[in-house]
């Protein structure tokens, strides 16, 4: 490190003290969320590579949000909830020294209301036996396709062999396979993240709620969290393991990328500059234009990555005396009454208010069809709560008409772009093939949700396929 710095210094005739530190590594990884942090551990410990992990936030873990309630001392996870026991998940937790177990599910009393009016909706969820039967049919219909997109698109079929089922709008797929009774659960668990779920392509709904999730809900697969119920514990363990190889609060500001190696100019939040010289680059951030700006994409990279559209997800913890302890208030369009399960909220929308237990905290999520500011998302939550109180669905706890302004936001995180997707026509024109042709181009490899699906343990399995290819 110092040698390289000294060499650069003498080359330009100034003293090393004036130059940024130069870090030389086999692999630079950008993004310390699920896919990047896992890859960093594997590259360093299993493949004996020198690595540096560049993370914008002041901690690893991406979508993990573990909040400590100062009133009770309890921990609440309002980002990632659980890990599916998929691929390397169990072994990885064990290796990181983080014991896991299956958390109990709180039973909440559901209220259904159309958040656009605040009015109660006489919605009847399917009977449990009907839901389970529909979920089984869903699994039977989709399991044959799993090989094409899990844990990544490594076996994606040729352009003219893509199963038409995967390119159907989800509502058509639902009717074709008679799985309406599964839709409510699919949407409420994770499907809402894709935005307009009934119009989304089935392929992308399966990316949000795929066969591994179906198996978990059918009792054929496990899911777990750390015993401590502090999901951040996993990433704290990874951080401790990687030590000084992690650069927190750091972003790349400019780069020179070639098939022979990369020079990355980085800056910390407090202005400290460093230069990374790396043989290979692993991108583990969402490949949206704003994130890609410092990486000087060439025309091929731009033409592929610019095709992506995305939805956005925000999540937070709120408190308000009108919200029902032990309850969940679910955004349910009036048209869904009593059992029109495909009448779902259209983005941008507030998903629901969920009581978190043991406190006065409620988890709330907002889904957008594109970029939504955190301020606008919080306004949507305030306005929806005001409508729920105005319509009498929730008690108006104060005579003050501005009661909604009293809604307390204890925590809020804008998770930004997620569920990257392309159109059916683009998929038929070979979008996935073009996307995967980027692997290894200009010495750059790609991981993360855009190249796989939005689940932590599936991304780890995806990394397990990617890394040997990257090092071959
Ligand atoms: C509310 C919510 C709940 C979820 N619940 C679950 C769940 O229960 N189970 C599950 O398996 N999955 C869940 N997910 C999805 C899961 O978290 C994601 O699929 C997964 O984290 C994606 O991993 P990734 O590596 O692609 O990106 P991320 O985990 O988002 O990691 C990207 C990392 O890169 C950093 N970064 C961004 N830009 C830059 C930059 N320019 N330079 C440096 N670093 C940068 C970010 O800070 C972040 O740490 C949930 C997601 C959300 C939003």
């Amino acid at each position: 490190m110092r040698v390289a710095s000294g060499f650069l210094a003498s080359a330009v005739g100034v003293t090393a003290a004036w130059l940024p530190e130069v870090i030389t590594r086999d692999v630079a990884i950008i993004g310390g969320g699920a896919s990047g942090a896992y890859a960093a551990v594997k590259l360093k410990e299993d493949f004996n590579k020198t690595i540096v992990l560049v993370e914008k936030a002041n901690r690893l873990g991406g979508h993990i949000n573990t909040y400590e309630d100062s009133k009770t001392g309890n921990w609440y996870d309002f980002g990632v909830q659980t890990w599916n026991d998929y691929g390397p998940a169990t072994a990885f937790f064990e290796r990181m020294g983080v014991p896991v177990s299956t958390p109990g599910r709180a039973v909440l009393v559901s209220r259904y209301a159309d958040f656009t009016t605040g009015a109660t909706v006489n919605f009847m969820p399917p009977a449990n036996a009907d839901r389970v039967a529909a979920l089984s049919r869903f699994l039977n219909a989709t399991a044959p396709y799993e090989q094409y997109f899990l844990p990544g698109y490594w076996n994606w079929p040729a352009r003219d062999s893509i199963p038409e089922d995967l390119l159907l709008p989800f509502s058509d797929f639902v009717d074709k396979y008679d799985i309406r009774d599964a839709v409510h659960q699919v949407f409420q668990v994770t499907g809402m993240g894709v935005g307009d779920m009934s119009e989304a392509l089935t392929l992308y709904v399966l990316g949000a709620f795929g066969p591994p999730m179906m198996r978990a809900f059918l009792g054929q697969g496990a899911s777990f969290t750390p015993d401590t119920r502090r999901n951040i514990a996993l990433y704290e363990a990874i951080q401790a393991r990687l030590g000084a190889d992690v650069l927190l609060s750091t972003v790349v500001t400019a780069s020179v990328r070639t098939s022979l190696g990369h020079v990355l100019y980085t800056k910390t939040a407090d202005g400290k500059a460093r230069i990374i010289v790396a043989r290979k680059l692993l991108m583990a951030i969402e490949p949206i234009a704003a994130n890609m700006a410092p990486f000087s994409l060439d025309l091929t990279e731009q033409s592929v990555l610019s095709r992506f559209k995305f939805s956005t997800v925000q999540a937070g913890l709120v408190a308000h005396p009108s919200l029902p302890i032990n309850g969940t208030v679910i955004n349910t369009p009036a048209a869904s009454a009593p059992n029109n399960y495909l009448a779902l909220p259209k983005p941008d929308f507030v998903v629901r208010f969920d009581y978190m237990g043991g406190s006065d905290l409620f988890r709330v999520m907002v889904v957008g069809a594109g970029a939504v500011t955190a301020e606008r998302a919080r306004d949507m939550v305030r306005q929806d709560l005001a409508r729920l109180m105005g319509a009498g669905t929730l008690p108006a706890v104060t005579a003050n008409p501005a009661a909604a302004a009293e809604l307390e936001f204890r925590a809020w995180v804008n998770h930004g772009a997620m569920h990257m997707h392309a159109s059916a026509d683009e998929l038929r024109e070979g979008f996935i093939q073009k996307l995967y042709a980027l692997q290894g181009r200009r010495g750059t490899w790609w991981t993360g949700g855009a190249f796989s699906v939005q689940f932590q343990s599936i991304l780890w399995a995806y990394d397990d396929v990617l890394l040997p290819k990257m090092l071959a």
Side-chain angles (χ1 to χ4, degrees):
M1 234 156 46
R2 284 292 155 209
V3 173
S5 185
F7 171 77
L8 281 176
S10 55
V12 293
V14 294
T15 62
W18 291 94
L19 281 175
E21 179 187 3
V22 177
I23 298 174
T24 307
R25 294 288 196 273
D26 294 325
V27 185
I29 304 151
I30 312 301
S35 62
Y38 179 85
V41 172
K42 297 288 286 185
L43 285 166
K44 182 175 175 177
E45 298 185 358
D46 295 354
F47 294 98
N48 292 319
K49 296 296 168 190
T50 58
I51 59 118
V52 60
L53 175 56
V54 179
E55 168 54 52
K56 181 169 74 170
N58 61 2
R59 57 161 181 91
L60 298 181
H63 298 313
I64 307 282
N65 298 118
T66 305
Y67 172 86
E68 184 179 9
D69 181 5
S70 55
K71 284 189 189 167
T72 60
N74 293 338
W75 298 95
Y76 295 98
D77 276 288
F78 65 97
V80 169
Q81 301 290 290
T82 58
W83 281 263
N84 278 343
D85 184 11
Y86 183 93
T90 305
F92 187 58
F93 271 92
E94 202 174 309
R95 177 174 173 177
M96 294 301 109
V98 179
V100 297
S101 52
T102 303
R105 283 184 195 282
V107 180
L108 301 177
V109 178
S110 300
R111 297 184 194 193
Y112 303 97
D114 186 330
F115 285 15
T116 63
T117 61
T120 298
V121 173
N122 182 25
F123 175 79
M124 302 292 290
N128 199 40
D130 295 337
R131 175 190 63 80
V132 170
L135 203 54
S136 297
R137 289 195 293 277
F138 194 11
L139 179 57
N140 289 339
T142 54
Y145 304 138
E146 195 174 355
Q147 56 175 319
Y148 298 136
F149 59 91
L150 294 183
Y153 298 98
W154 305 109
N155 301 318
W156 185 247
R159 289 163 45 170
D160 52 3
S161 307
I162 304 171
E164 268 307 306
D165 276 353
L166 296 179
L167 304 184
L168 287 177
F170 188 56
S171 52
D172 291 355
F173 183 92
V174 165
D175 285 339
K176 179 172 174 184
Y177 289 97
D178 183 23
I179 57 169
R180 279 191 177 229
D181 287 341
V183 170
H184 178 61
Q185 181 174 40
V186 172
F187 184 79
Q188 293 302 331
V189 173
T190 42
M192 84 294 263
V194 301
D196 190 348
M197 192 180 89
S198 51
E199 289 304 311
L201 298 187
T202 300
L203 172 66
Y204 294 118
V205 176
L206 293 177
F209 192 110
M213 187 67 100
M214 297 174 207
R215 291 189 188 98
F217 279 100
L218 288 168
Q220 301 169 18
S223 58
F224 49 71
T225 67
D227 274 354
T228 54
R229 307 288 176 248
R230 283 182 73 248
N231 287 347
I232 195 64
L234 174 69
Y235 289 89
E236 289 171 348
I238 296 174
Q239 165 77 67
R241 196 110 163 188
L242 296 175
D245 288 331
V246 179
L247 304 181
L248 293 176
S249 305
T250 301
V251 291
V252 173
T253 55
S255 63
V256 179
R257 292 168 50 224
T258 76
S259 55
L260 296 176
H262 309 270
V263 181
L264 309 173
Y265 300 86
T266 72
K267 203 164 239 185
T268 59
D270 58 6
K272 180 175 176 181
R274 290 191 186 96
I275 295 172
I276 296 172
V277 179
R279 176 77 185 81
K280 295 190 178 185
L281 180 62
L282 178 59
M283 301 292 271
I285 56 180
E286 295 288 1
I288 57 170
N291 280 345
M292 292 297 105
F295 293 98
S296 50
L297 298 188
D298 67 14
L299 287 178
T300 303
E301 290 165 333
Q302 277 175 39
S303 75
V304 178
L305 297 175
S306 64
R307 299 290 160 125
F308 269 131
K309 296 199 167 39
F310 56 83
S311 55
T312 49
V313 177
Q314 309 198 26
L317 291 173
V318 301
H320 191 280
S322 72
L323 290 167
I325 299 295
N326 296 324
T328 172
V329 188
I330 302 174
N331 188 358
T332 315
S336 68
N339 57 3
N340 179 11
Y341 300 132
L342 280 168
L344 298 165
K346 300 282 183 196
D348 306 340
F349 60 89
V350 175
V351 180
R352 56 180 195 265
F353 295 88
D354 281 340
Y355 179 60
M356 293 295 278
S359 178
D360 56 351
L361 291 174
F362 287 75
R363 180 177 188 239
V364 62
M365 281 201 287
V366 173
V367 174
V372 175
T373 65
E375 194 180 22
R376 174 163 139 61
R378 285 193 299 259
D379 274 348
M380 287 167 63
V381 177
R382 281 189 199 98
Q383 285 161 14
D384 285 7
L385 180 63
R387 275 194 285 268
L388 289 164
M389 292 192 298
T393 295
L394 296 179
V397 291
T398 162
N400 174 4
E406 294 164 16
L407 179 67
E408 223 185 299
F409 286 85
R410 301 270 176 84
W412 193 262
V413 175
N414 184 348
H415 291 281
M418 286 181 73
H419 299 285
M420 311 284 282
H421 55 273
S423 69
D425 284 347
E426 283 163 333
L427 291 166
R428 286 192 193 96
E429 284 159 18
F431 175 76
I432 300 285
Q433 285 82 356
K434 289 176 202 158
L435 185 68
Y436 269 44
L438 297 183
Q439 296 288 13
R441 232 179 135 266
R442 299 179 73 199
T444 304
W445 297 79
W446 303 81
T447 181
F451 285 76
S452 173
V453 296
Q454 290 287 348
F455 284 101
Q456 301 238 334
S457 45
I458 297 177
L459 284 166
W460 300 342
Y462 167 91
D463 278 356
D464 281 345
V465 180
L466 176 76
L467 298 182
K469 293 180 189 291
M470 176 179 167
L471 299 175

Coordinates of all heavy atoms in Angstrom, one line a residue, residues 12 60 75 77 114 139 153 184 193 196 228 238 240 248 250 252 275 279 310 312 334 381 440 456 472:
V12 N 5.1 11.9 -9.6 CA 4.7 13.2 -9.8 C 5.5 14.2 -9.1 O 5.2 15.4 -9.1 CB 3.2 13.4 -9.5 CG1 2.3 12.6 -10.4 CG2 2.9 13.0 -8.0
L60 N -22.7 -2.1 7.6 CA -23.0 -3.1 6.5 C -24.5 -3.5 6.7 O -25.1 -3.2 7.7 CB -22.1 -4.3 6.6 CG -20.6 -4.1 6.4 CD1 -19.9 -5.4 6.5 CD2 -20.3 -3.4 5.1
W75 N -35.7 -4.5 20.7 CA -35.3 -4.3 19.4 C -36.4 -4.6 18.4 O -37.1 -5.6 18.6 CB -34.1 -5.2 19.1 CG -32.9 -5.0 20.0 CD1 -32.6 -5.6 21.1 CD2 -31.9 -4.0 19.8 NE1 -31.5 -5.1 21.7 CE2 -31.0 -4.1 20.9 CE3 -31.7 -3.0 18.8 CZ2 -29.9 -3.2 21.0 CZ3 -30.6 -2.2 18.9 CH2 -29.7 -2.3 20.0
D77 N -37.1 -5.0 14.2 CA -36.6 -5.0 12.8 C -37.7 -4.5 11.9 O -38.7 -5.2 11.7 CB -36.1 -6.4 12.4 CG -34.7 -6.6 12.9 OD1 -33.8 -6.0 12.3 OD2 -34.5 -7.3 13.9
D114 N -60.0 1.1 2.6 CA -59.5 1.7 1.4 C -58.8 3.0 1.8 O -59.5 4.0 2.2 CB -60.7 2.0 0.5 CG -60.2 2.5 -0.9 OD1 -59.1 3.1 -1.0 OD2 -60.9 2.2 -1.9
L139 N -47.4 -23.4 -6.4 CA -46.1 -24.0 -6.3 C -45.9 -25.1 -7.4 O -44.9 -25.1 -8.1 CB -45.8 -24.7 -5.0 CG -44.5 -25.4 -4.8 CD1 -43.3 -24.5 -5.0 CD2 -44.4 -26.0 -3.3
Y153 N -30.2 -16.0 -13.3 CA -30.7 -16.4 -14.6 C -29.6 -17.2 -15.4 O -29.5 -17.1 -16.6 CB -31.0 -15.1 -15.4 CG -32.1 -14.3 -14.8 CD1 -31.8 -13.2 -14.0 CD2 -33.4 -14.6 -15.0 CE1 -32.8 -12.4 -13.5 CE2 -34.5 -13.8 -14.5 CZ -34.1 -12.7 -13.7 OH -35.1 -11.9 -13.2
H184 N -53.9 -12.8 -1.9 CA -53.9 -11.9 -0.7 C -52.6 -12.1 0.0 O -51.9 -11.2 0.4 CB -55.1 -12.2 0.1 CG -55.2 -11.3 1.4 ND1 -55.2 -10.0 1.4 CD2 -55.2 -11.7 2.7 CE1 -55.2 -9.5 2.6 NE2 -55.2 -10.5 3.4
G193 N -44.1 -5.3 -3.1 CA -42.9 -4.6 -3.4 C -42.7 -4.4 -4.9 O -42.0 -3.4 -5.3
D196 N -47.4 -2.6 -9.0 CA -48.7 -3.0 -9.5 C -48.7 -4.5 -9.7 O -48.5 -4.9 -10.8 CB -49.0 -2.2 -10.8 CG -50.4 -2.4 -11.3 OD1 -51.1 -3.3 -10.7 OD2 -50.8 -1.7 -12.2
T228 N -31.3 -13.6 18.9 CA -31.4 -12.4 19.6 C -32.5 -11.5 19.1 O -32.9 -10.5 19.7 CB -30.1 -11.5 19.5 OG1 -29.8 -11.4 18.1 CG2 -29.0 -12.2 20.3
I238 N -20.2 -9.9 10.3 CA -19.4 -9.9 9.1 C -18.4 -8.7 9.2 O -17.2 -8.8 8.8 CB -20.3 -9.7 7.9 CG1 -21.2 -10.9 7.7 CG2 -19.5 -9.4 6.6 CD1 -22.3 -10.8 6.6
A240 N -17.1 -7.4 11.8 CA -16.0 -7.7 12.7 C -14.9 -8.6 12.0 O -13.7 -8.5 12.2 CB -16.5 -8.4 14.0
L248 N -16.3 2.0 5.4 CA -17.6 2.5 5.6 C -17.7 4.0 5.2 O -16.7 4.7 5.1 CB -18.0 2.3 7.1 CG -18.2 0.9 7.5 CD1 -18.4 0.8 9.0 CD2 -19.3 0.1 6.8
T250 N -18.2 5.5 2.6 CA -17.3 5.8 1.5 C -18.1 5.5 0.2 O -18.8 4.5 0.1 CB -16.1 4.8 1.6 OG1 -15.4 5.1 2.8 CG2 -15.1 5.1 0.5
V252 N -17.4 5.7 -4.3 CA -16.5 5.9 -5.4 C -17.0 7.2 -6.1 O -18.2 7.4 -6.4 CB -16.6 4.8 -6.4 CG1 -15.8 5.0 -7.7 CG2 -16.1 3.5 -5.7
I275 N -7.4 6.0 -3.0 CA -7.5 5.4 -4.3 C -7.4 3.9 -4.1 O -6.5 3.4 -3.4 CB -6.3 6.0 -5.1 CG1 -6.4 7.5 -5.4 CG2 -6.2 5.2 -6.5 CD1 -5.2 8.1 -6.0
R279 N -7.6 -5.5 -9.3 CA -7.6 -6.3 -10.5 C -9.0 -6.5 -11.1 O -9.3 -6.5 -12.2 CB -6.9 -7.7 -10.2 CG -6.9 -8.7 -11.2 CD -5.8 -8.4 -12.3 NE -5.9 -9.4 -13.4 CZ -6.8 -9.3 -14.4 NH1 -7.6 -8.3 -14.5 NH2 -6.8 -10.2 -15.3
F310 N -37.9 0.1 -12.2 CA -37.9 -0.4 -10.9 C -39.0 0.2 -10.0 O -39.7 1.2 -10.4 CB -36.6 0.0 -10.2 CG -36.3 1.5 -10.2 CD1 -36.8 2.3 -9.2 CD2 -35.4 2.1 -11.1 CE1 -36.5 3.7 -9.2 CE2 -35.1 3.4 -11.2 CZ -35.7 4.2 -10.2
T312 N -40.0 1.3 -5.8 CA -39.2 1.7 -4.6 C -40.0 1.3 -3.4 O -41.2 1.2 -3.4 CB -39.0 3.2 -4.6 OG1 -40.2 3.9 -4.9 CG2 -38.0 3.6 -5.7
A334 N -61.7 -0.5 -2.3 CA -63.1 -0.9 -2.1 C -63.6 -1.9 -3.0 O -64.4 -2.8 -2.7 CB -64.0 0.4 -2.3
V381 N -48.3 8.7 4.4 CA -48.7 8.0 5.6 C -49.5 8.9 6.5 O -50.6 8.5 7.0 CB -47.4 7.6 6.4 CG1 -47.8 6.9 7.7 CG2 -46.6 6.6 5.5
G440 N -18.2 -10.0 -16.4 CA -16.8 -10.1 -16.8 C -16.3 -9.1 -17.8 O -15.1 -8.9 -18.0
Q456 N -32.3 -12.3 0.5 CA -30.9 -12.3 1.0 C -30.3 -13.7 0.7 O -29.2 -13.8 0.1 CB -30.8 -12.0 2.5 CG -31.4 -10.6 2.8 CD -30.4 -9.8 3.5 OE1 -29.5 -10.3 4.2 NE2 -30.6 -8.5 3.4
A472 N -12.2 -17.6 -12.4 CA -11.7 -18.6 -13.4 C -10.7 -18.0 -14.3 O -10.7 -16.9 -14.6 CB -12.9 -19.2 -14.2

